[in-house]
Amino acid sequence: MKDLFTLNEEGGLRTLDQQILRLFREKRAEIVSGEELSGVMQVSRTAVWKHIKSLRKLGYRIEAIPSRGYRLVAAPDLLLPEEIAVGRQSLRIGRRLICFRETGSTNEVAFKLAEEGAEEGTVVIAEGQRRGKGRLGRKWESPAGVNLYCSVILRPPILPTRAAQLTFLSAVAVARAIATTTALRPFIKWPNDLMINDGKVAGLLNEMSAETEKINFIVLGIGVNINMVREQFPDDLRHPATSLFLEGGKAVSRLEFTRALLGALDDLYDTYLKNGYGPVREEWLARCNVLGRQVRITFQESELLGTAKGIDEEGALLVQRPDGRIERVLAGDVTIL
Ligand code: BT5
């Protein structure tokens, strides 16, 4: 795959291709002469032409205007590091971006990189996954070129028992990104689903490496169905699933969505490090659909009824039983009654 797109080791464009794009962008929509390109790149005009052709193969629309030069007309909606970085200033999240045309699972890649010492904020993205993972060994459908599959490495200075706070943080970030790139109204379903109407539009799989008192790292795994169409969903999903395209009726730019998501994660994580869990919890509660509602929670064979009152420091759902007692629920499927 890498060869087809002639990308570098981290899935980015080759240096000369990057230079061409930078020059085009500096000139906005203006024509750039072949001479100028070859001067800046310090290669022949023939070599410039070869690079233009390889960028076109990637989906860049570059017009060649006889005896005047070239003009960038449009960039493809491809998840390339340079494109994701356009217009972004990252504090931490996305300072290093690694993008694959296809991989097994971005969480697995990120986990390995983190074990090898990758810095906080490193993000692994793939156009498609062969073995996308859900929780508890489940599968995450990951067709190529339509969605976002993304894993973020964090090294938060907190106790391992508080790790669920980062799951809530990632849920809030996805909700914010959907709200800023579409007119849709997503809500968070405890503990880790993002829903629009009755369909699951995104799922989170956060994995951790920790010692008793200390987190080595957390990998935030985020899968968002962006432009997936009905035929791409298998019939045997456990719950109804949907995509931003299916709900909103129009395609959403994956690049714009990815920038919005990384921006939201960056903001929220910065606030989290400075001000703690409070603001994340508040926004989570404002964006969830269970607060104050009567719920039934099933876990394996057991069932519990009550009113959802909130979430605690460790991510438990607080449910008030009919006799007034508050019960902490750590896992289960929630149904609103
Ligand atoms: C999740 O698990 O919702 C976590 C999904 C995390 C996926 C991301 S993608 C990037 C990163 N790399 C990975 O390998 N994984 C993460 P869970 O709550 O267990 O839900 C899984 C269940 O949702 C499956 O058993 C299906 O029934 C259903 N499902 C599978 N693919 C889906 C999809 N694309 N959209 C909606 N539902 C899906």
Side-chain angles (χ1 to χ4, degrees):
M1 274 311 222
K2 216 171 73 187
D3 287 344
L4 180 66
F5 288 115
T6 56
L7 298 172
N8 70 21
E9 295 289 288
E10 303 214 331
L13 293 167
R14 292 174 304 176
T15 319
L16 290 180
D17 293 343
Q18 285 182 35
Q19 269 185 3
I20 296 185
L21 289 175
R22 213 174 300 133
L23 209 64
F24 277 139
R25 292 206 158 108
E26 276 166 23
K27 300 268 166 156
R28 311 273 158 162
E30 277 175 42
I31 299 170
V32 186
S33 71
E35 202 172 354
E36 187 173 356
L37 284 167
S38 85
V40 172
M41 292 160 67
Q42 300 197 324
V43 295
S44 68
R45 304 269 295 262
T46 322
V48 168
W49 172 235
K50 267 197 202 147
H51 283 278
I52 297 278
K53 277 203 293 195
S54 88
L55 284 170
R56 278 184 177 167
K57 225 191 258 171
L58 273 173
Y60 285 90
R61 280 184 39 220
I62 299 171
E63 205 179 359
I65 301 132
S67 68
R68 292 186 61 197
Y70 304 97
R71 196 161 65 98
L72 177 63
V73 180
D77 192 25
L78 261 189
L79 301 174
L80 296 168
E82 296 77 17
E83 292 295 340
I84 295 168
V86 169
R88 282 203 72 230
Q89 292 263 301
S90 40
L91 290 170
R92 299 177 187 80
I93 312 296
R95 274 190 305 208
R96 180 176 173 204
L97 288 165
I98 303 170
C99 299
F100 292 92
R101 304 300 94 209
E102 189 187 73
T103 189
S105 149
T106 55
N107 261 35
E108 283 173 15
V109 176
F111 205 91
K112 191 153 168 283
L113 282 168
E115 283 178 326
E116 291 164 0
E119 70 163 342
E120 173 161 87
T122 300
V123 175
V124 179
I125 284 175
E127 291 275 344
Q129 299 184 116
R130 289 182 301 272
R131 294 184 305 278
K133 297 193 296 182
R135 291 173 306 153
L136 310 167
R138 296 185 198 128
K139 187 173 165 214
W140 187 254
E141 297 297 327
S142 308
V146 286
N147 292 336
L148 176 65
Y149 316 108
C150 160
S151 300
V152 181
I153 298 172
L154 296 182
R155 299 182 182 277
I158 55 167
L159 290 170
T161 49
R162 302 280 157 96
Q165 298 179 354
L166 278 313
T167 304
F168 294 136
L169 186 148
S170 54
V172 170
V174 176
R176 274 197 197 175
I178 294 175
T180 50
T181 53
T182 69
L184 299 166
R185 292 181 52 125
F187 62 86
I188 302 169
K189 182 167 174 253
W190 182 86
N192 74 337
D193 291 349
L194 267 293
M195 311 288 293
I196 297 178
N197 297 320
D198 284 330
K200 175 161 168 170
V201 72
L204 309 168
L205 173 66
N206 294 344
E207 299 183 286
M208 167 168 77
S209 154
E211 290 152 38
T212 336
E213 300 272 305
K214 176 176 164 279
I215 290 179
N216 298 321
F217 61 82
I218 293 183
V219 171
L220 301 182
I222 302 172
V224 187
N225 301 331
I226 299 184
N227 293 323
M228 202 167 170
V229 295
R230 194 52 64 213
E231 302 76 61
Q232 287 170 310
F233 289 101
D235 299 329
D236 60 350
L237 291 182
R238 293 158 26 118
H239 302 287
T242 190
S243 70
L244 300 181
F245 170 74
L246 288 172
E247 295 300 318
K250 59 176 182 226
V252 173
S253 155
R254 294 181 312 142
L255 272 173
E256 242 171 69
F257 185 87
T258 306
R259 290 183 200 124
L261 176 65
L262 298 184
L265 284 168
D266 214 15
D267 278 354
L268 283 159
Y269 190 55
D270 190 53
T271 307
Y272 178 81
L273 292 178
K274 288 181 180 143
N275 306 323
Y277 173 50
V280 169
R281 170 154 66 185
E282 259 170 50
E283 190 169 340
W284 190 94
L285 290 170
R287 292 184 183 275
C288 81
N289 68 335
V290 290
L291 209 58
R293 308 286 293 271
Q294 289 281 19
V295 291
R296 175 174 50 229
I297 296 153
T298 46
F299 182 67
Q300 290 166 355
E301 302 302 301
S302 67
E303 182 179 288
L304 184 142
L305 294 172
T307 310
K309 288 289 185 186
I311 46 173
D312 74 5
E313 297 284 306
E314 296 182 358
L317 185 68
L318 303 174
V319 180
Q320 186 165 40
R321 307 296 309 273
D323 63 7
R325 264 184 315 121
I326 297 278
E327 190 124 8
R328 297 178 69 238
V329 183
L330 283 159
D333 270 320
V334 180
T335 313
I336 296 178
L337 301 174

